[in-house]
Amino acid sequence: MPHAPSPDDYSDDLSAELLRSDVKKTQGLSFRQKEKLQYALLLIPGCLLYGIFNLLPLIGTLVLSFFDWPGIGPATFVGFDNFTKLLTDAYMSGQLWNAFQQTFVFFAICISIFLGLGTTFALLLSWNTAGKSAYKLLFFMPYPLAAVAVAFLGQLIVDVRGPINQLMMHWDLISAPLMFLGEADTALPTIALFQSWQKLGFSIMLILSAILGVRADLLEAAVLDGASRWQCIRHVVFPVLAPAFVLITILTLVDVFNNAEYVLILMGPDAGPYYSTDILGTFQYRTAFGTSGGSGTADLGMAAAIGMVISVLILPATIYLALRNMRNR
């Protein structure tokens, strides 16, 4: 006898038909197209977060730079007057140039330490050198700490009664304690050393990962050819480290030109003594909110113009990094 169709048979037929329909739909996409579609879907959350927390504030800063606004009350549209005043007024342009020069000095100190000491300690860690655990503790411990804590520790170390001054006096290197943060010549380098101490661990980690990525067969071939350890480092390891050096340099440039947390914590918005620690971040903060003594006029529009100038200064480096990443894909 012929088998009477049951509801389950119709259900199976419907599922099979839907499955065949899905297969037909996906058969239209090549593997490369599916891969690109997956990349695009994975990028959507990151792009949304970047747009909300970076792109929108940048657009808001650009709009605000065309207004004269003290932060309270109505804003007055002034066009490019803020930029004109910033670049042509004797006081504002002098402050901007002084802050730019000192920011560059701050960056030079930080990047020298990151690349020099960072490479040295990364090599020591890769060789299983004696004291490896001590290096890790000394240079990785400050990285997760807040800048306030690191600034406080650094201030204690360089205090007139701190260990640095006591050791230098004990070794008869100085006759009286040095005021590292109280002298115009030493305050900025001292603060740059504090920031370098906190963030050196990140540079060591990047350089160490690049060193560990060096192909062992290349090193073995160099050793078999009679190369010394230094020649192996110079001709095999250093070329591999170049991308890490570029990445560290650009990240440090962006960080130093955008942030001024250590100067604000230790010296306040006045960036004393005598503006000797004034960098672009403190200049922008002081312009936006006034000085610590309450003097000066708060001008958020002018501060936004300073922010746009800073963005233009670091834009070439960020574009280069983006193009380099796209080229390496």
Side-chain angles (χ1 to χ4, degrees):
M1 287 178 67
H3 174 68
S6 66
D8 292 339
D9 295 335
Y10 290 113
S11 176
D12 292 341
D13 293 341
L14 181 58
S15 300
E17 184 64 28
L18 289 175
L19 180 60
R20 284 193 293 271
S21 175
D22 290 342
V23 170
K24 288 179 181 177
K25 287 180 181 177
T26 54
Q27 280 177 345
L29 296 176
S30 65
F31 177 77
R32 180 64 63 183
Q33 289 173 328
K34 292 177 184 175
E35 187 182 42
K36 289 182 178 179
L37 180 61
Q38 290 175 351
Y39 285 155
L41 292 175
L42 291 173
L43 284 174
I44 287 175
C47 290
L48 285 176
L49 291 174
Y50 181 84
I52 292 171
F53 294 105
N54 290 279
L55 192 58
L56 288 180
L58 181 63
I59 296 173
T61 303
L62 177 62
V63 173
L64 186 58
S65 66
F66 297 122
F67 288 85
D68 180 11
W69 188 45
I72 299 176
T76 305
F77 181 75
V78 294
F80 288 93
D81 286 358
N82 285 329
F83 293 98
T84 304
K85 182 179 179 182
L86 178 64
L87 299 176
T88 59
D89 181 77
Y91 176 76
M92 294 300 296
S93 61
Q95 293 268 306
L96 176 65
W97 178 240
N98 176 63
F100 173 75
Q101 287 179 301
Q102 293 180 160
T103 304
F104 187 80
V105 172
F106 199 99
F107 164 73
I109 295 172
C110 290
I111 196 62
S112 301
I113 293 173
F114 290 160
L115 298 185
L117 281 181
T119 304
T120 302
F121 285 109
L123 287 171
L124 291 174
L125 290 173
S126 67
W127 291 338
N128 293 322
T129 309
K132 181 177 176 179
S133 300
Y135 298 142
K136 287 183 179 178
L137 178 65
L138 183 63
F139 292 105
F140 285 93
M141 182 185 66
Y143 187 71
L145 297 179
V148 176
V150 177
F152 179 69
L153 287 174
Q155 191 176 22
L156 290 178
I157 292 172
V158 302
D159 189 75
V160 292
R161 292 173 293 182
I164 298 292
N165 271 309
Q166 295 303 316
L167 286 174
M168 293 175 71
M169 292 181 67
H170 178 72
W171 293 333
D172 293 330
L173 297 176
I174 55 175
S175 58
L178 296 176
M179 297 179 64
F180 288 96
L181 294 174
E183 300 289 341
D185 295 334
T186 57
L188 186 67
T190 303
I191 296 173
L193 289 176
F194 292 169
Q195 179 161 328
S196 302
W197 179 39
Q198 185 198 10
K199 300 183 178 179
L200 180 60
F202 180 69
S203 300
I204 293 175
M205 184 176 62
L206 286 180
I207 298 171
L208 179 62
S209 62
I211 291 173
L212 296 178
V214 176
R215 289 169 53 187
D217 56 338
L218 293 178
L219 290 172
E220 291 172 358
V223 172
L224 290 175
D225 288 341
S228 63
R229 173 170 287 189
W230 167 245
Q231 288 173 326
C232 290
I233 293 172
R234 181 182 175 187
H235 298 292
V236 179
V237 177
F238 275 175
V240 179
L241 296 185
F245 286 168
V246 172
L247 178 62
I248 293 170
T249 302
I250 294 176
L251 291 179
T252 305
L253 179 73
V254 174
D255 184 33
V256 170
F257 274 70
N258 273 322
N259 299 319
E261 50 190 357
Y262 279 90
V263 179
L264 289 172
I265 291 168
L266 295 170
M267 299 300 180
D270 294 330
Y274 310 114
Y275 297 112
S276 62
T277 58
D278 195 19
I279 57 179
L280 288 171
T282 51
F283 177 46
Q284 184 184 19
Y285 182 93
R286 186 171 61 252
T287 304
F289 304 108
T291 62
S292 58
S295 60
T297 303
D299 190 346
L300 291 180
M302 178 61 76
I306 296 171
M308 294 310 302
V309 171
I310 296 173
S311 300
V312 171
L313 289 174
I314 62 176
L315 188 62
T318 53
I319 291 176
Y320 170 77
L321 182 62
L323 292 176
R324 183 173 169 276
N325 288 335
M326 291 174 64
R327 190 166 54 245
N328 290 337
R329 282 201 63 216

